[in-house]
Amino acid sequence: MPGRFGIFGGQYVPETVMNALIELEREFNAAIQDESFMEEYRYYLREYAGRPTPLYFAQNLTKKLGGARVYLKREDLNHTGAHKINNVLGQILLARRMGKRRVIAETGAGQHGVATATGAAMFGMQCEIFMGKEDVKRQALNVFRMRLLGARVHSVESGTGTLKDAVNEAIRDWVTRIEDTFYVIGSVVGPHPYPTMVREFQKVIGEEAKAQILEKEGRLPDYIIACVGGGSNAMGIFHPFYHDREVKLIGVEAAGLGLETGKHAATMAMGSVGVLHGMKTLLLQDSEGQIMPVHSISAGLDYPGVGPEHAYYKEIGRAEYVAVTDREAVEAFVELSRTEGIIPALESAHAVAYAMKLVPQLSKDKIVIVNLSGRGDKDVETVANLPEVEL
Amino acid sequence: MNRIDKAFNNLREKGSKALITYITAGDPDIDTTAELIVEMGKAGADIIELGIPYSDPLADGPVIQRASARALNKGIRIADIMNMARSVRRVTQVPLVYLVYYNSVFKYGIERFVKEAHDVGIDGIIIPDLPLEEKGEVFDITRQYGIHLIPLVAPTSHERIARIVENASGFVYCVSTTGVTGERDQIHTDIKAYMEEVSRYTSLPKAIGFGISKPDMARQFRDYCDGIIIGSAIVSLIEKASSKDEMLENIGQFIRNIKQALR
């Protein structure tokens, strides 16, 4: 069935949006087979977003960890500071092709909101962003950036006031303005065709990484590590390696204060199958299907679900999913800053934290690529306010 | 015969239209829900929808979202709602329909949910986030238990209507406008043309819902449909009431006024 990854995926949405999804699927399929559309997409990736991003050999970190060779895929060097722009450029070009003048988006950490506001500004579109009130507070810098770019930011008060509720509110808005509005979803989540579409616009990360590692090392890596909230940066780098079975794919979730505390966002480790935001996937929920509050120090991982394709990768054993705590992520945040002069986003710091555990156990001839999904400017204040961090 | 079919047959014979009312189960508490069902039935509600509170009710506007949150804060469970429905069945035969988000049914167990609903006297189920593409896993089970899985159509459905109403039973829930639930001052959809479009594909009763809040709106639509659905306007009365007596009184009066407009 189209839009399914095993049992996961689907289109669990109100009837009002079904025609819009069908139209979107049709237009998307036509667009990605249209060489002029793809050429335009690649043009903006190259000339506007700044691709290709480097695959940087982290010499200092490699030396310090004393195991495998560590490479960083530098998505933090994209325009707007994260991988989110790859997907946004694709979807905004598609919106323009479909004649839409208004785009909406949800955002957690604000990186997707900033990317969408940026794309909307460049293409002269009206833009509204939905963001949980908790995230508006902890990501004030990104809220300011979105407003500066001309977007209207809605602070979502309902539910837990985080990313999940921002998605609900964006869907409600979309249902209401279905005729003139394009909903730019920020991760490999939501009803079909979004998980597939976002993956197609993000797979440039993995395609580049593959070509770059072959050039630098003459072979494929042994491990690829990426953080997983909804999972778009991870799917973007994983997917082009799907058939390369010797490459181990590792997704890193947020264990928050620890899996045993119940305050985490580790959907893969602790979730069960359910339906949220139009998709069947793994969710953090109670025995009656009520979605549970989640916690992560990084707003971008603070999501009780995960993209359906990741749930499928887990089920078939193609990828392994692990979790690291807030504390471990903060340590990695500081460590990468000190060692390599690169301040990672707290989301990306989860991937770095797991690499710091894994790499010392590996022999020196192994190769590990860590997807550095975004830069950490937005998180500096969060980390500075932690009592355990002394600068 | 299913109570929903019986209700529409009776109304048709009388040349009258159905008033379908919605409340959220457990708002403000489960005992009051039971009293409201009985009171609404006495005041003239022909079918009553009982919302099963959900953490992420994405088809609902703020009024019903708040009702859901109030009920969940009271710790309401599906078992409480089933027990309440069973006890209400001893005193009223008003048709009852669950409005429930798909994840609640899925996680509870589809067959378990439908069987228990049947056993306590529920006549229909509405799942607002289960379009025809996904209804397969539920439809056969509801049919087996003689419960109507009420299909929803929207003004954007057009050529999808034929497939949505195929094999359907009970009534067709015609969403009046794009958007979420909630009171509106005006509905811009051409309801006459929309209902004619739906009628081309089915002879099932058609009920219009989303945004209807006043007797004159009910009057405006009555000739084009077989029933109207009112939710947020009633839930607002629950939210605003300062005592249970005031709540029962206000809702009873509201329903009698609407019912008058439908005659």
Side-chain angles (χ1 to χ4, degrees):
Chain A
M1 193 192 278
R4 290 276 179 180
F5 308 95
I7 63 161
F8 304 107
Q11 296 177 301
Y12 300 88
V13 291
E15 169 61 19
T16 313
V17 304
M18 278 308 303
N19 258 340
L21 287 178
I22 292 164
E23 186 194 0
L24 177 62
E25 182 183 14
R26 191 174 55 231
E27 295 287 329
F28 165 68
N29 286 333
I32 58 168
Q33 284 165 39
D34 176 348
E35 195 38 49
S36 67
F37 176 86
M38 290 307 288
E39 186 44 54
E40 191 180 21
Y41 168 60
R42 286 188 292 261
Y43 169 84
Y44 284 105
L45 285 183
R46 188 174 66 239
E47 304 293 333
Y48 190 71
R51 301 204 72 88
T53 59
L55 182 70
Y56 166 70
F57 175 57
Q59 195 176 355
N60 300 335
L61 188 65
T62 296
K63 201 168 167 188
K64 190 153 189 184
L65 295 177
R69 297 162 67 76
V70 182
Y71 285 85
L72 302 175
K73 180 61 176 160
R74 297 290 309 275
E75 292 302 297
D76 59 313
L77 292 178
N78 278 305
H79 179 46
T80 72
H83 69 290
K84 297 289 188 186
I85 193 79
N86 306 330
N87 166 48
V88 163
L89 286 171
Q91 288 197 47
I92 287 205
L93 288 171
L94 188 59
R96 200 173 59 152
R97 181 184 161 105
M98 292 170 71
K100 306 282 183 178
R101 301 283 307 151
R102 177 179 186 258
V103 295
I104 59 168
E106 82 296 334
T107 197
Q111 291 305 99
H112 176 58
V114 167
T116 305
T118 299
M122 187 180 56
F123 288 108
M125 290 177 171
Q126 189 192 338
C127 179
E128 298 188 32
I129 304 292
F130 296 86
M131 192 169 182
K133 70 169 194 296
E134 291 304 318
D135 294 336
V136 167
K137 265 187 251 162
R138 58 180 169 173
Q139 299 291 345
L141 176 64
N142 273 342
V143 173
F144 178 75
R145 291 166 79 195
M146 287 181 255
R147 290 186 174 139
L148 187 64
L149 291 159
R152 189 168 159 212
V153 180
H154 299 268
S155 173
V156 176
E157 311 261 328
S158 59
T160 53
T162 59
L163 179 55
K164 151 189 98 89
D165 306 289
V167 177
N168 288 336
E169 217 48 50
I171 294 174
R172 291 186 183 111
D173 179 278
W174 195 40
V175 174
T176 309
R177 304 262 319 245
I178 198 82
E179 302 288 343
D180 72 342
T181 297
F182 189 102
Y183 179 14
V184 183
I185 289 188
S187 193
V188 285
V189 300
H192 175 68
Y194 279 100
T196 301
M197 178 166 71
V198 176
R199 178 249 282 160
E200 286 299 302
F201 289 137
Q202 288 292 4
K203 74 179 186 191
V204 62
I205 305 172
E207 287 169 348
E208 281 179 12
K210 195 177 214 175
Q212 289 166 322
I213 200 72
L214 286 173
E215 195 191 315
K216 287 171 197 285
E217 292 276 357
R219 70 174 182 90
L220 295 177
D222 299 289
Y223 294 87
I224 295 178
I225 304 175
C227 66
V228 177
S232 70
N233 88 84
M235 193 47 70
I237 196 165
F238 286 178
H239 193 264
F241 292 91
Y242 179 81
H243 294 292
D244 303 309
R245 310 296 290 199
E246 70 275 25
V247 180
K248 294 190 178 64
L249 309 175
I250 301 178
V252 187
E253 297 189 291
L257 302 181
L259 296 183
E260 70 291 349
T261 64
K263 292 186 188 304
H264 59 76
T267 311
M268 293 288 201
M270 310 298 279
S272 61
V273 182
V275 169
L276 178 69
H277 299 148
M279 59 180 164
K280 186 178 281 178
T281 190
L282 291 168
L283 301 174
L284 293 171
Q285 56 182 335
D286 72 11
S287 62
E288 297 209 339
Q290 308 290 354
I291 305 304
M292 309 217 292
V294 290
H295 165 84
S296 168
I297 191 166
S298 82
L301 300 184
D302 209 352
Y303 184 66
V306 65
E309 197 168 4
H310 281 293
Y312 177 64
Y313 274 33
K314 179 183 186 226
E315 189 186 69
I316 62 171
R318 182 61 193 92
E320 183 191 352
Y321 294 87
V322 297
V324 306
T325 62
D326 287 353
R327 177 179 287 271
E328 291 168 321
V330 169
E331 283 166 14
F333 181 91
V334 175
E335 183 67 30
L336 194 68
S337 302
R338 298 271 166 88
T339 313
E340 294 288 354
I342 298 171
I343 303 174
L346 275 174
E347 290 78 8
S348 318
H350 284 71
V352 176
Y354 188 72
M356 286 166 56
K357 289 193 207 182
L358 176 69
V359 167
Q361 302 168 31
L362 302 175
S363 61
K364 290 188 195 304
D365 60 340
K366 299 288 184 193
I367 302 168
V368 173
I369 297 179
V370 179
N371 199 29
L372 207 66
S373 58
R375 68 177 188 228
D377 308 30
K378 67 183 173 51
D379 299 314
V380 166
E381 199 183 338
T382 302
V383 173
N385 288 336
L386 295 172
E388 67 267 29
V389 177
E390 280 182 32
L391 295 175
Chain B
M1 189 190 238
N2 186 299
R3 293 179 195 89
I4 295 171
D5 304 327
K6 213 181 291 175
F8 278 110
N9 285 348
N10 290 342
L11 288 161
R12 206 166 271 177
E13 278 168 22
K14 286 192 283 185
S16 181
K17 306 291 166 141
L19 171 56
I20 302 171
T21 61
Y22 169 95
I23 53 173
T24 300
D27 170 39
D29 59 70
I30 197 72
D31 294 337
T32 307
T33 300
E35 287 184 57
L36 281 166
I37 292 171
V38 175
E39 185 66 24
M40 290 198 296
K42 280 186 196 156
D46 298 293
I47 296 172
I48 296 172
E49 282 180 27
L50 278 178
I52 296 192
Y54 184 52
S55 55
D56 296 78
L58 58 77
D60 285 301
V63 171
I64 293 176
Q65 284 182 55
R66 286 198 298 269
S68 242
R70 283 194 295 271
L72 290 176
N73 286 339
K74 284 264 163 81
I76 190 94
R77 308 283 291 177
I78 290 174
D80 304 324
I81 299 168
M82 294 282 183
N83 289 338
M84 183 274 299
R86 183 186 287 115
S87 67
V88 162
R89 263 290 163 256
R90 298 193 193 108
V91 288
T92 175
Q93 287 305 305
V94 66
L96 291 173
V97 177
Y98 277 154
L99 191 142
V100 56
Y101 283 87
Y102 185 55
N103 199 40
S104 302
V105 179
F106 177 78
K107 187 70 180 165
Y108 196 75
I110 299 169
E111 173 125 30
R112 175 183 172 209
F113 185 90
V114 174
K115 181 184 187 305
E116 287 182 15
H118 166 266
D119 291 350
V120 302
I122 298 295
D123 305 289
I125 299 181
I126 299 169
I127 308 179
D129 55 349
L130 196 73
L132 81 99
E133 281 75 3
E134 309 291 353
K135 76 171 184 187
E137 20 190 315
V138 178
F139 183 71
D140 292 343
I141 298 173
T142 51
R143 187 151 62 174
Q144 186 189 325
Y145 284 94
I147 284 187
H148 295 317
L149 182 64
I150 307 297
L152 292 103
V153 299
T156 51
S157 296
H158 302 301
E159 72 284 355
R160 291 172 53 80
I161 298 173
R163 283 182 298 142
I164 292 171
V165 298
E166 199 183 344
N167 301 322
S169 59
F171 61 92
V172 183
Y173 192 131
C174 304
V175 174
S176 67
T177 174
T178 59
V180 294
T181 60
E183 300 171 51
R184 288 170 176 79
D185 292 331
Q186 275 187 344
I187 287 168
H188 297 288
T189 308
D190 181 346
I191 294 289
K192 181 168 182 284
Y194 175 34
M195 291 303 106
E196 281 170 2
E197 192 178 12
V198 179
S199 299
R200 275 204 292 280
Y201 299 104
T202 181
S203 55
L204 280 179
K206 300 179 297 292
I208 304 174
F210 278 40
I212 303 169
S213 59
K214 296 184 190 76
D216 59 338
M217 290 170 98
R219 207 171 286 123
Q220 191 188 332
F221 299 141
R222 59 152 288 156
D223 291 340
Y224 309 123
C225 65
D226 305 287
I228 61 153
I229 303 165
I230 301 192
S232 294
I234 293 171
V235 174
S236 280
L237 294 173
I238 296 175
E239 188 169 48
K240 285 177 196 152
S242 54
S243 71
K244 190 194 281 189
D245 288 345
E246 182 191 327
M247 182 190 303
L248 294 169
E249 167 66 27
N250 288 352
I251 290 174
Q253 191 55 49
F254 178 82
I255 287 172
R256 283 188 290 275
N257 290 344
I258 300 274
K259 193 66 192 167
Q260 189 66 35
L262 286 174
R263 287 215 170 86

PDB file of all heavy atoms in Angstrom, chain A residues 240-258:
ATOM      1  N   PRO A 240      20.040   6.785   1.981  1.00  0.00           N
ATOM      2  CA  PRO A 240      20.908   6.382   0.868  1.00  0.00           C
ATOM      3  C   PRO A 240      21.833   5.196   1.211  1.00  0.00           C
ATOM      4  O   PRO A 240      22.444   4.617   0.321  1.00  0.00           O
ATOM      5  CB  PRO A 240      21.722   7.653   0.581  1.00  0.00           C
ATOM      6  CG  PRO A 240      20.825   8.764   1.055  1.00  0.00           C
ATOM      7  CD  PRO A 240      20.198   8.211   2.299  1.00  0.00           C
ATOM      8  N   PHE A 241      21.906   4.839   2.476  1.00  0.00           N
ATOM      9  CA  PHE A 241      22.731   3.685   2.876  1.00  0.00           C
ATOM     10  C   PHE A 241      21.875   2.448   3.166  1.00  0.00           C
ATOM     11  O   PHE A 241      22.392   1.442   3.634  1.00  0.00           O
ATOM     12  CB  PHE A 241      23.556   4.035   4.133  1.00  0.00           C
ATOM     13  CG  PHE A 241      24.626   5.065   3.895  1.00  0.00           C
ATOM     14  CD1 PHE A 241      24.375   6.418   4.071  1.00  0.00           C
ATOM     15  CD2 PHE A 241      25.903   4.687   3.465  1.00  0.00           C
ATOM     16  CE1 PHE A 241      25.355   7.374   3.850  1.00  0.00           C
ATOM     17  CE2 PHE A 241      26.897   5.634   3.249  1.00  0.00           C
ATOM     18  CZ  PHE A 241      26.624   6.984   3.432  1.00  0.00           C
ATOM     19  N   TYR A 242      20.584   2.551   2.910  1.00  0.00           N
ATOM     20  CA  TYR A 242      19.658   1.470   3.273  1.00  0.00           C
ATOM     21  C   TYR A 242      20.125   0.109   2.750  1.00  0.00           C
ATOM     22  O   TYR A 242      20.108  -0.887   3.467  1.00  0.00           O
ATOM     23  CB  TYR A 242      18.260   1.787   2.731  1.00  0.00           C
ATOM     24  CG  TYR A 242      17.241   0.713   3.034  1.00  0.00           C
ATOM     25  CD1 TYR A 242      16.621   0.660   4.283  1.00  0.00           C
ATOM     26  CD2 TYR A 242      16.918  -0.259   2.086  1.00  0.00           C
ATOM     27  CE1 TYR A 242      15.697  -0.325   4.579  1.00  0.00           C
ATOM     28  CE2 TYR A 242      15.993  -1.248   2.380  1.00  0.00           C
ATOM     29  CZ  TYR A 242      15.387  -1.285   3.624  1.00  0.00           C
ATOM     30  OH  TYR A 242      14.479  -2.261   3.929  1.00  0.00           O
ATOM     31  N   HIS A 243      20.563   0.071   1.495  1.00  0.00           N
ATOM     32  CA  HIS A 243      20.958  -1.213   0.894  1.00  0.00           C
ATOM     33  C   HIS A 243      22.400  -1.611   1.203  1.00  0.00           C
ATOM     34  O   HIS A 243      22.815  -2.711   0.867  1.00  0.00           O
ATOM     35  CB  HIS A 243      20.739  -1.176  -0.624  1.00  0.00           C
ATOM     36  CG  HIS A 243      19.282  -1.065  -0.992  1.00  0.00           C
ATOM     37  ND1 HIS A 243      18.377  -2.080  -0.760  1.00  0.00           N
ATOM     38  CD2 HIS A 243      18.573  -0.041  -1.524  1.00  0.00           C
ATOM     39  CE1 HIS A 243      17.177  -1.697  -1.157  1.00  0.00           C
ATOM     40  NE2 HIS A 243      17.258  -0.464  -1.618  1.00  0.00           N
ATOM     41  N   ASP A 244      23.142  -0.709   1.815  1.00  0.00           N
ATOM     42  CA  ASP A 244      24.530  -1.034   2.183  1.00  0.00           C
ATOM     43  C   ASP A 244      24.504  -1.670   3.561  1.00  0.00           C
ATOM     44  O   ASP A 244      24.764  -1.019   4.579  1.00  0.00           O
ATOM     45  CB  ASP A 244      25.379   0.249   2.171  1.00  0.00           C
ATOM     46  CG  ASP A 244      25.333   0.958   0.829  1.00  0.00           C
ATOM     47  OD1 ASP A 244      25.579   0.290  -0.198  1.00  0.00           O
ATOM     48  OD2 ASP A 244      25.019   2.162   0.800  1.00  0.00           O
ATOM     49  N   ARG A 245      24.210  -2.961   3.590  1.00  0.00           N
ATOM     50  CA  ARG A 245      23.914  -3.620   4.871  1.00  0.00           C
ATOM     51  C   ARG A 245      25.085  -3.592   5.850  1.00  0.00           C
ATOM     52  O   ARG A 245      24.883  -3.730   7.053  1.00  0.00           O
ATOM     53  CB  ARG A 245      23.499  -5.093   4.635  1.00  0.00           C
ATOM     54  CG  ARG A 245      22.427  -5.292   3.595  1.00  0.00           C
ATOM     55  CD  ARG A 245      21.113  -4.657   3.994  1.00  0.00           C
ATOM     56  NE  ARG A 245      20.461  -5.358   5.096  1.00  0.00           N
ATOM     57  CZ  ARG A 245      19.171  -5.226   5.383  1.00  0.00           C
ATOM     58  NH1 ARG A 245      18.403  -4.420   4.650  1.00  0.00           N
ATOM     59  NH2 ARG A 245      18.641  -5.874   6.381  1.00  0.00           N
ATOM     60  N   GLU A 246      26.323  -3.411   5.316  1.00  0.00           N
ATOM     61  CA  GLU A 246      27.468  -3.405   6.226  1.00  0.00           C
ATOM     62  C   GLU A 246      27.578  -2.095   7.022  1.00  0.00           C
ATOM     63  O   GLU A 246      28.339  -2.018   7.979  1.00  0.00           O
ATOM     64  CB  GLU A 246      28.767  -3.681   5.435  1.00  0.00           C
ATOM     65  CG  GLU A 246      29.229  -2.566   4.495  1.00  0.00           C
ATOM     66  CD  GLU A 246      28.569  -2.603   3.105  1.00  0.00           C
ATOM     67  OE1 GLU A 246      27.455  -3.157   2.979  1.00  0.00           O
ATOM     68  OE2 GLU A 246      29.177  -2.071   2.155  1.00  0.00           O
ATOM     69  N   VAL A 247      26.834  -1.088   6.609  1.00  0.00           N
ATOM     70  CA  VAL A 247      26.863   0.183   7.338  1.00  0.00           C
ATOM     71  C   VAL A 247      25.820   0.137   8.454  1.00  0.00           C
ATOM     72  O   VAL A 247      24.634  -0.036   8.205  1.00  0.00           O
ATOM     73  CB  VAL A 247      26.564   1.373   6.397  1.00  0.00           C
ATOM     74  CG1 VAL A 247      26.610   2.693   7.179  1.00  0.00           C
ATOM     75  CG2 VAL A 247      27.535   1.396   5.231  1.00  0.00           C
ATOM     76  N   LYS A 248      26.279   0.268   9.687  1.00  0.00           N
ATOM     77  CA  LYS A 248      25.340   0.226  10.816  1.00  0.00           C
ATOM     78  C   LYS A 248      24.740   1.613  11.045  1.00  0.00           C
ATOM     79  O   LYS A 248      25.462   2.599  11.145  1.00  0.00           O
ATOM     80  CB  LYS A 248      26.053  -0.253  12.083  1.00  0.00           C
ATOM     81  CG  LYS A 248      26.529  -1.693  11.989  1.00  0.00           C
ATOM     82  CD  LYS A 248      27.000  -2.197  13.341  1.00  0.00           C
ATOM     83  CE  LYS A 248      27.425  -3.649  13.240  1.00  0.00           C
ATOM     84  NZ  LYS A 248      28.621  -3.824  12.345  1.00  0.00           N
ATOM     85  N   LEU A 249      23.439   1.661  11.102  1.00  0.00           N
ATOM     86  CA  LEU A 249      22.728   2.924  11.276  1.00  0.00           C
ATOM     87  C   LEU A 249      22.245   3.014  12.721  1.00  0.00           C
ATOM     88  O   LEU A 249      21.580   2.103  13.215  1.00  0.00           O
ATOM     89  CB  LEU A 249      21.527   2.988  10.322  1.00  0.00           C
ATOM     90  CG  LEU A 249      21.841   2.684   8.847  1.00  0.00           C
ATOM     91  CD1 LEU A 249      20.551   2.644   8.023  1.00  0.00           C
ATOM     92  CD2 LEU A 249      22.811   3.723   8.278  1.00  0.00           C
ATOM     93  N   ILE A 250      22.583   4.120  13.379  1.00  0.00           N
ATOM     94  CA  ILE A 250      22.201   4.262  14.789  1.00  0.00           C
ATOM     95  C   ILE A 250      21.477   5.590  15.009  1.00  0.00           C
ATOM     96  O   ILE A 250      22.029   6.664  14.761  1.00  0.00           O
ATOM     97  CB  ILE A 250      23.442   4.194  15.712  1.00  0.00           C
ATOM     98  CG1 ILE A 250      24.163   2.853  15.508  1.00  0.00           C
ATOM     99  CG2 ILE A 250      23.019   4.365  17.185  1.00  0.00           C
ATOM    100  CD1 ILE A 250      25.419   2.707  16.342  1.00  0.00           C
ATOM    101  N   GLY A 251      20.241   5.492  15.457  1.00  0.00           N
ATOM    102  CA  GLY A 251      19.459   6.683  15.801  1.00  0.00           C
ATOM    103  C   GLY A 251      19.535   6.911  17.302  1.00  0.00           C
ATOM    104  O   GLY A 251      19.417   5.968  18.084  1.00  0.00           O
ATOM    105  N   VAL A 252      19.743   8.171  17.700  1.00  0.00           N
ATOM    106  CA  VAL A 252      19.894   8.478  19.124  1.00  0.00           C
ATOM    107  C   VAL A 252      18.721   9.332  19.597  1.00  0.00           C
ATOM    108  O   VAL A 252      18.503  10.435  19.100  1.00  0.00           O
ATOM    109  CB  VAL A 252      21.215   9.224  19.402  1.00  0.00           C
ATOM    110  CG1 VAL A 252      21.425   9.368  20.908  1.00  0.00           C
ATOM    111  CG2 VAL A 252      22.394   8.494  18.758  1.00  0.00           C
ATOM    112  N   GLU A 253      17.968   8.793  20.530  1.00  0.00           N
ATOM    113  CA  GLU A 253      16.819   9.505  21.074  1.00  0.00           C
ATOM    114  C   GLU A 253      17.186  10.197  22.379  1.00  0.00           C
ATOM    115  O   GLU A 253      18.239   9.947  22.961  1.00  0.00           O
ATOM    116  CB  GLU A 253      15.702   8.509  21.378  1.00  0.00           C
ATOM    117  CG  GLU A 253      15.182   7.794  20.179  1.00  0.00           C
ATOM    118  CD  GLU A 253      13.953   7.007  20.556  1.00  0.00           C
ATOM    119  OE1 GLU A 253      14.066   6.017  21.292  1.00  0.00           O
ATOM    120  OE2 GLU A 253      12.870   7.408  20.137  1.00  0.00           O
ATOM    121  N   ALA A 254      16.228  10.989  22.863  1.00  0.00           N
ATOM    122  CA  ALA A 254      16.440  11.718  24.107  1.00  0.00           C
ATOM    123  C   ALA A 254      15.949  10.894  25.290  1.00  0.00           C
ATOM    124  O   ALA A 254      14.759  10.630  25.425  1.00  0.00           O
ATOM    125  CB  ALA A 254      15.705  13.050  24.062  1.00  0.00           C
ATOM    126  N   ALA A 255      16.885  10.504  26.147  1.00  0.00           N
ATOM    127  CA  ALA A 255      16.496   9.807  27.379  1.00  0.00           C
ATOM    128  C   ALA A 255      16.164  10.809  28.482  1.00  0.00           C
ATOM    129  O   ALA A 255      15.829  10.397  29.601  1.00  0.00           O
ATOM    130  CB  ALA A 255      17.612   8.865  27.829  1.00  0.00           C
ATOM    131  N   GLY A 256      16.267  12.092  28.185  1.00  0.00           N
ATOM    132  CA  GLY A 256      15.862  13.132  29.139  1.00  0.00           C
ATOM    133  C   GLY A 256      16.548  12.977  30.483  1.00  0.00           C
ATOM    134  O   GLY A 256      17.769  12.902  30.582  1.00  0.00           O
ATOM    135  N   LEU A 257      15.743  12.888  31.545  1.00  0.00           N
ATOM    136  CA  LEU A 257      16.311  12.735  32.889  1.00  0.00           C
ATOM    137  C   LEU A 257      16.642  11.282  33.192  1.00  0.00           C
ATOM    138  O   LEU A 257      17.108  10.951  34.284  1.00  0.00           O
ATOM    139  CB  LEU A 257      15.326  13.272  33.931  1.00  0.00           C
ATOM    140  CG  LEU A 257      14.923  14.746  33.758  1.00  0.00           C
ATOM    141  CD1 LEU A 257      13.968  15.179  34.857  1.00  0.00           C
ATOM    142  CD2 LEU A 257      16.160  15.649  33.748  1.00  0.00           C
ATOM    143  N   GLY A 258      16.376  10.393  32.230  1.00  0.00           N
ATOM    144  CA  GLY A 258      16.638   8.966  32.413  1.00  0.00           C
ATOM    145  C   GLY A 258      15.371   8.182  32.093  1.00  0.00           C
ATOM    146  O   GLY A 258      14.281   8.607  32.456  1.00  0.00           O
TER     147      GLY A 258
END
